[in-house]
Amino acid sequence: MFSNQQIETLPKHQTIQFQPLADNAIWHVQLNWLLFYVPLMAVIIAVRHFNPAVSQAIATPWLLVLPLLVILSMIYNLYSVRAKGVAVREHDIAFKRGLIWQQTTLLPISRVQHTEIHRGPIERKLGLATLRLYSAGGMSADLHISGLTDEQCNDVRQFVQSYGDNALIPENELADE
Amino acid sequence: MSDQQWQRVSPWALLYFIVHFALRFIKDGLLNLLPILVLFVTQVEQKLFWGQIAAAVASLVLVLYAFAYYRNFKYCITDGHEILLNKGVFKKERLTLKFARVQNVNIAEPFYFQPVNLVNCIFDAAGSSAQEAVIPGVKLSYAEQVREQVMAFKAQLQQQEQLPVEHSEATDKPKTLTISNAEIAKFGLMSNMAILALAALAPFMNMIFEYLEKTIINRLEAMLIEQAAFVGSAAAIAVLIMVVAIVLCAILLSVVMALVRFFNFQLYFQDDKFKRVAGLFERQQLSISVSKIQSVQIKQNIIARLLNRYTLICPQVSSGGVTAGVAAHKNKQTLVMPVITKEQVQAVCGWLFPWFVDLTELNFIKPERALLYKNTFLYVILPTVFSALIFNTLFDAATILWSIVVGLVLMIGVFLNFQKTGVALYQHDGRFFAVFKTGMLGVQYRVFEIYKAQSVTTISTYLMRRSQLKSLYIQLASGSVSMPYLKAELAEQLADFALYEIEGVERNWF
């Protein structure tokens, strides 16, 4: 039956209660960070030690800048992970992130083309996973949520897949090749 | 058509495969071979001899590979409403494309097929990683028959799923739009193909300039000195003449590229379907249903403004693996009306949106002034100070005045951009549309029905939060739109409304 009721109030996304990432998420971020910067610092120090030209160019006090940058980055990571949050509503998934640029993305479940769960070696050790939700907007429209537990990722994926079945919306599957 | 047997394509399809792989090699392979090319140019003696050998070997390999590909290529249209393709030489591929996944069936007639009345039948499966499947070298009647078969199946599927199907009144005569080749040539002036042509030559610029200096610039300089007794500035004028000549060549190339792509452009609209026929070497029929169109872009750059023309772009869903905006625009399945008048824009948009009004009359919501202040600081003050420091360091203090000129020019750009940014909402018959406007010297509108959006994002910086401001981004299946520096409350309301439309409207979004 046709109806055209006045919309008194729209569901407000500002009232969403975001769930923080898993407790281990901060370890994942920090370890990834260290895995990149520690070897980099080692290479810079080694090059400086063995190459006189570089040794003259980079005075010793400058070497203190590198670990200072790493410490500041790790403090930034700590607050950055705390600023992230996920929420699953009846019809969409919300993800907020960002410390300086705070960003809240809402992806309606009916627009999710397919989902993937990725687990790197550090994530597997920490019991974490990354949930990737793909929509039709291309790479910039996809939602990548890392720092969730494997169980949480599977639960969300299950919810997304069952939403598609219940809503009888034709899924956009990839062509079989 | 219930043929379950595997069929081969016509032997003439070998021509298609040769051209197809040659173009793929030029687009993808040549870039990878660039280091070898550089070595060849700089290190190898007897370039002509070895170049001819390399070209002959490459041609032979191309023909042999195309022949092997043709021999392995088979297709089958099954009773189970699937298109099966067996293809590949070293890596055998089996492609299964269900009728339900096919967005459009387009027909292209390359010039080399015209004498034998054959066409390429192109299945567009947007949203899939294998976006396009092609059966080359088939009869036109067969291609049209397959198209009817696929579209009939999809119409039947829609009825079975009881999805609201949009119908307009069937019209007796299709509405048409024809763009003359003279107009298409204007598009060559308007488009950025000239810049792309120059960019493509960028890696070779040094070599080109060295060659031009030896062969032409020195002679021009000598001629200028002889004829007009210029002494100090003859070299500069010679270089200037050369630069102008290169730019004119790039523009000419752009005009030629536009004509190749849009030659004899004809557009038909009937029963909620666009059919576009255009192309010089390959006459391509693009068929696109209104429901597949994600948004409409109406563009007018500075050259188009001088010519009083517009470009209309109607993208479909883009391939999932590529940045949406870029892919949709460059996608061959995007309907592009390259150069049309304002009246033609009104007419075509009126076919799509019955409510369509003159967009300049819409009441656009403007961004807050804070955007102007931010852009002035970032794009005027900082660059002006930076350029002043450079001028002072490299030249003398008097040249700092040039940085003021730089600042003024940037300020005009920032102000024009601020003036031309806005968003408007329009409601017609219970359906809600959004119009996003951007621009600086030119202007660009993007019109779409809100329920077709894919996701919504709001962004704010620390300073924006203090001023209670937010920027709104709406992702479409064919690009994104943004509205910076809105009042936070308004941005949140717009985001909530967009989500309400996306999640509440039952109509299929593509």
Side-chain angles (χ1 to χ4, degrees):
Chain A
M1 192 178 81
F2 175 78
S3 71
N4 191 16
Q5 295 178 358
Q6 182 168 332
I7 302 167
E8 294 291 342
T9 53
L10 290 168
K12 290 186 179 169
H13 72 271
Q14 307 86 275
T15 60
I16 292 175
Q17 300 289 324
F18 284 95
Q19 302 294 318
L21 300 182
D23 295 334
N24 280 345
I26 184 61
W27 294 112
H28 176 232
V29 172
Q30 303 289 33
L31 282 170
N32 272 335
W33 200 258
L34 288 171
L35 273 173
F36 175 73
Y37 275 103
V38 167
L40 179 66
M41 281 197 305
V43 165
I44 292 172
I45 291 168
V47 166
R48 187 182 176 275
H49 180 74
F50 291 111
N51 190 320
V54 173
S55 176
Q56 280 181 354
I58 306 176
T60 307
W62 281 106
L63 287 179
L64 294 173
V65 171
L66 287 172
L68 189 64
L69 275 176
V70 174
I71 291 168
L72 287 173
S73 301
M74 291 177 76
I75 294 172
Y76 175 85
N77 287 340
L78 182 65
Y79 285 101
S80 174
V81 168
R82 282 185 191 172
K84 290 184 183 177
V86 184
V88 179
R89 299 199 295 179
E90 267 185 81
H91 299 292
D92 52 46
I93 295 172
F95 180 54
K96 73 164 184 170
R97 61 186 161 157
L99 213 52
I100 302 167
W101 279 269
Q102 276 187 8
Q103 186 172 321
T104 304
T105 300
L106 295 116
L107 175 59
I109 297 171
S110 60
R111 295 292 184 265
V112 175
Q113 300 270 307
H114 71 278
T115 59
E116 285 178 10
I117 296 178
H118 287 244
R119 302 190 77 192
I122 299 176
E123 283 175 308
R124 282 198 294 273
K125 283 285 182 205
L126 295 172
L128 299 175
T130 297
L131 177 67
R132 293 184 184 182
L133 302 162
Y134 294 91
S135 71
M139 283 190 328
S140 55
D142 302 332
L143 204 54
H144 295 184
I145 306 171
S146 57
L148 299 176
T149 63
D150 189 41
E151 195 185 337
Q152 282 174 323
C153 286
N154 279 307
D155 286 345
V156 173
R157 182 165 72 170
Q158 190 61 39
F159 177 72
V160 167
Q161 285 173 345
S162 59
Y163 180 95
D165 294 337
N166 291 340
L168 294 177
I169 292 170
E171 289 184 22
N172 291 312
E173 297 164 3
L174 293 173
D176 296 332
E177 287 193 45
Chain B
M1 178 64 54
S2 59
D3 195 348
Q4 293 217 26
Q5 290 179 340
W6 288 97
Q7 299 180 68
R8 286 191 186 284
V9 290
S10 158
W12 291 103
L14 180 59
L15 283 172
Y16 166 80
F17 290 125
I18 291 172
V19 169
H20 172 74
F21 291 120
L23 287 174
R24 260 181 68 179
F25 175 74
I26 293 167
K27 270 188 203 169
D28 306 329
L30 217 53
L31 208 62
N32 294 327
L33 291 174
L34 211 54
I36 298 174
L37 280 174
V38 169
L39 270 173
F40 176 79
V41 168
T42 55
Q43 306 292 331
V44 171
E45 306 285 334
Q46 293 183 308
K47 291 184 199 10
L48 192 61
F49 172 73
W50 289 112
Q52 285 172 339
I53 299 285
V57 168
S59 303
L60 185 64
V61 167
L62 174 67
V63 169
L64 288 173
Y65 184 82
F67 181 75
Y69 199 93
Y70 155 73
R71 289 292 302 167
N72 285 326
F73 190 94
K74 289 180 201 156
Y75 70 97
C76 173
I77 312 284
T78 69
D79 281 346
H81 305 110
E82 288 174 336
I83 301 142
L84 306 177
L85 293 182
N86 264 356
K87 52 182 184 167
V89 176
F90 305 113
K91 187 177 150 195
K92 297 271 197 291
E93 289 175 53
R94 168 81 166 255
L95 176 70
T96 306
L97 188 54
K98 297 183 173 119
F99 279 17
R101 300 287 168 255
V102 174
Q103 302 298 309
N104 293 300
V105 182
N106 298 313
I107 296 171
E109 189 184 15
F111 69 95
Y112 47 82
F113 277 168
Q114 282 175 5
V116 290
N117 292 325
L118 295 176
V119 298
N120 296 331
C121 190
I122 304 166
F123 303 92
D124 171 31
S128 155
S129 60
Q131 193 175 356
E132 203 175 78
V134 182
I135 303 177
V138 295
K139 288 199 184 315
L140 177 62
S141 54
Y142 178 81
E144 285 173 346
Q145 195 175 353
V146 171
R147 179 159 65 185
E148 285 307 314
Q149 194 182 350
V150 172
M151 292 304 153
F153 176 79
K154 286 178 70 69
Q156 193 184 3
L157 203 65
Q158 267 191 324
Q159 284 174 7
Q160 281 174 2
E161 288 173 350
Q162 294 179 345
L163 290 170
V165 175
E166 298 172 33
H167 286 298
S168 68
E169 292 174 13
T171 52
D172 290 335
K173 275 175 74 175
K175 295 168 185 160
T176 61
L177 173 75
T178 303
I179 303 179
S180 69
N181 294 323
E183 289 288 311
I184 299 293
K186 284 182 192 170
F187 179 66
L189 299 175
M190 281 160 50
S191 78
N192 60 2
M193 286 186 188
I195 300 168
L196 292 174
L198 279 174
L201 293 172
F204 308 102
M205 274 302 171
N206 271 341
M207 280 167 53
I208 292 171
F209 274 126
E210 277 171 19
Y211 174 79
L212 290 174
E213 194 178 355
K214 278 182 214 165
T215 53
I216 300 176
I217 294 178
N218 288 341
R219 286 183 193 177
L220 259 177
E221 191 184 342
M223 197 174 72
L224 286 168
I225 291 171
E226 190 184 327
Q227 297 294 328
F230 290 114
V231 178
S233 57
I237 292 174
V239 169
L240 183 66
I241 291 171
M242 214 55 250
V243 167
V244 167
I246 289 174
V247 168
L248 285 175
C249 284
I251 291 172
L252 183 64
L253 188 61
S254 175
V255 169
V256 167
M257 284 164 73
L259 283 169
V260 166
R261 189 175 167 194
F262 297 112
F263 192 75
N264 279 354
F265 184 100
Q266 286 168 322
L267 182 73
Y268 306 94
F269 183 76
Q270 190 176 29
D271 296 336
D272 280 347
K273 270 201 179 71
F274 280 106
K275 187 169 125 179
R276 183 221 69 194
V277 185
L280 179 60
F281 297 126
E282 185 180 79
R283 197 115 185 95
Q284 196 172 55
Q285 275 186 40
L286 172 69
S287 177
I288 172 171
S289 169
V290 160
S291 59
K292 303 280 180 256
I293 293 173
Q294 296 302 302
S295 62
V296 173
Q297 280 175 274
I298 303 162
K299 289 177 160 182
Q300 188 187 46
N301 63 24
I302 181 70
I303 309 289
R305 208 168 163 183
L306 295 170
L307 297 171
N308 211 13
R309 296 288 185 271
Y310 296 82
T311 300
L312 200 68
I313 300 171
C314 303
Q316 299 185 73
V317 176
S318 64
S319 166
V322 201
T323 306
V326 172
H329 180 79
K330 288 186 180 173
N331 194 330
K332 284 188 288 187
Q333 309 305 328
T334 297
L335 179 60
V336 178
M337 280 151 268
V339 53
I340 51 179
T341 62
K342 188 171 181 179
E343 293 72 31
Q344 287 170 325
V345 169
Q346 293 288 133
V348 174
C349 290
W351 302 342
L352 279 165
F353 311 119
W355 58 266
F356 195 78
V357 298
D358 186 348
L359 294 179
T360 55
E361 292 172 4
L362 284 177
N363 200 14
F364 284 91
I365 300 168
K366 307 285 250 170
E368 296 296 312
R369 280 210 164 256
L371 176 67
L372 183 61
Y373 304 145
K374 179 210 86 171
N375 286 344
T376 302
F377 175 72
L378 277 181
Y379 303 120
V380 180
I381 296 173
L382 283 181
T384 304
V385 167
F386 189 61
S387 62
L389 288 170
I390 291 178
F391 281 128
N392 189 41
T393 311
L394 293 178
F395 305 106
D396 56 50
T399 55
I400 289 177
L401 293 172
W402 283 107
S403 63
I404 297 175
V405 174
V406 167
L408 278 172
V409 168
L410 292 172
M411 190 67 230
I412 291 169
V414 162
F415 184 74
L416 286 174
N417 177 251
F418 175 75
Q419 286 290 97
K420 291 188 182 180
T421 302
V423 61
L425 299 178
Y426 199 93
Q427 190 225 348
H428 173 79
D429 206 18
R431 294 162 72 153
F432 294 88
F433 302 84
V435 183
F436 279 73
K437 181 171 108 163
T438 62
M440 192 182 298
L441 299 174
V443 71
Q444 180 178 323
Y445 299 94
R446 189 176 277 223
V447 185
F448 61 95
E449 201 168 345
I450 294 176
Y451 87 100
K452 291 197 171 192
Q454 298 296 304
S455 67
V456 174
T457 301
T458 57
I459 298 184
S460 58
T461 62
Y462 171 72
L463 290 174
M464 286 171 76
R465 285 193 292 281
R466 283 188 60 163
S467 311
Q468 295 183 330
L469 297 172
K470 275 189 180 176
S471 297
L472 175 70
Y473 292 83
I474 296 179
Q475 182 70 46
L476 305 171
S478 58
S480 66
V481 290
S482 64
M483 184 61 201
Y485 281 68
L486 288 170
K487 284 268 183 230
E489 195 184 340
L490 178 59
E492 285 159 7
Q493 275 178 352
L494 288 172
D496 288 332
F497 184 71
L499 286 168
Y500 180 81
E501 280 290 295
I502 297 167
E503 293 159 9
V505 172
E506 288 181 356
R507 273 174 285 130
N508 214 0
W509 60 272
F510 75 102

